[in-house]
Amino acid sequence: MLGQDQLVMLGEEHTAAVLVTRLDFWLYYVAYFCGGTIGLVYSNNLGQIAQSLGLSSKTSTLVTLYSSFSFFGRLLSAAPDYIRKKFYFARTAWLTIALVPTPIAFILLAASDSAVALHIGTALIGLSSGFIFAAGGCYI
């Protein structure tokens, strides 16, 4: 079943014992757990974040912005399948690309406490987490 440190039979069922011994499984697990979960934590605390910046009246706008960009992220997760013939990346590369907006957003939020930075950061985190959650199941 294993050949040169790779799973030979793609698409076949593998035991949990085989999966937990693989480095790529643990890299995926950490990336999905840390990257995907942080978007949920951010969206759950969006009201407190807006309140701490004195923007309590903008909470519904921020939730709408996060939800809309999460939707667009979910749509973008299908892009690798459509452009596969012209531009091929491994699925793990797409996962990495999807995670890139999250630290950018948090750096932006940490560097500035303006309403514009909060809106841009919220949109980037929504886009990233939407992509990760929609595409996450097909990477397993």
Side-chain angles (χ1 to χ4, degrees), residues 39-78:
L40 285 178
V41 171
Y42 181 82
S43 69
N44 190 39
N45 294 308
L46 203 49
Q48 288 103 1
I49 294 168
Q51 186 178 18
S52 70
L53 294 173
L55 299 169
S56 296
S57 62
K58 301 281 186 186
T59 302
S60 62
T61 303
L62 291 170
V63 170
T64 302
L65 189 66
Y66 177 87
S67 298
S68 299
F69 275 84
S70 180
F71 168 74
F72 291 126
R74 290 170 192 262
L75 286 179
L76 280 175
S77 70

Side-chain angles (χ1 to χ4, degrees), residues 98-111:
L99 288 170
V100 168
T102 301
I104 292 170
F106 281 114
I107 291 169
L108 179 66
L109 290 169

Side-chain angles (χ1 to χ4, degrees), residues 64-138:
T64 302
L65 189 66
Y66 177 87
S67 298
S68 299
F69 275 84
S70 180
F71 168 74
F72 291 126
R74 290 170 192 262
L75 286 179
L76 280 175
S77 70
D81 294 330
Y82 286 108
I83 62 173
R84 175 170 284 201
K85 291 178 183 168
K86 293 181 182 180
F87 189 71
Y88 180 76
F89 269 153
R91 290 191 182 271
T92 51
W94 285 111
L95 181 64
T96 304
I97 292 168
L99 288 170
V100 168
T102 301
I104 292 170
F106 281 114
I107 291 169
L108 179 66
L109 290 169
S112 175
D113 58 351
S114 70
V116 173
L118 182 61
H119 284 85
I120 292 171
T122 300
L124 287 174
I125 293 169
L127 187 71
S128 181
S129 63
F131 189 106
I132 292 165
F133 282 118
C138 67

Side-chain angles (χ1 to χ4, degrees), residues 1-21:
M1 184 144 134
L2 293 175
Q4 294 181 333
D5 196 35
Q6 293 183 356
L7 294 173
V8 175
M9 295 182 214
L10 295 176
E12 297 291 324
E13 294 292 325
H14 303 289
T15 64
V18 171
L19 289 178
V20 297
T21 61

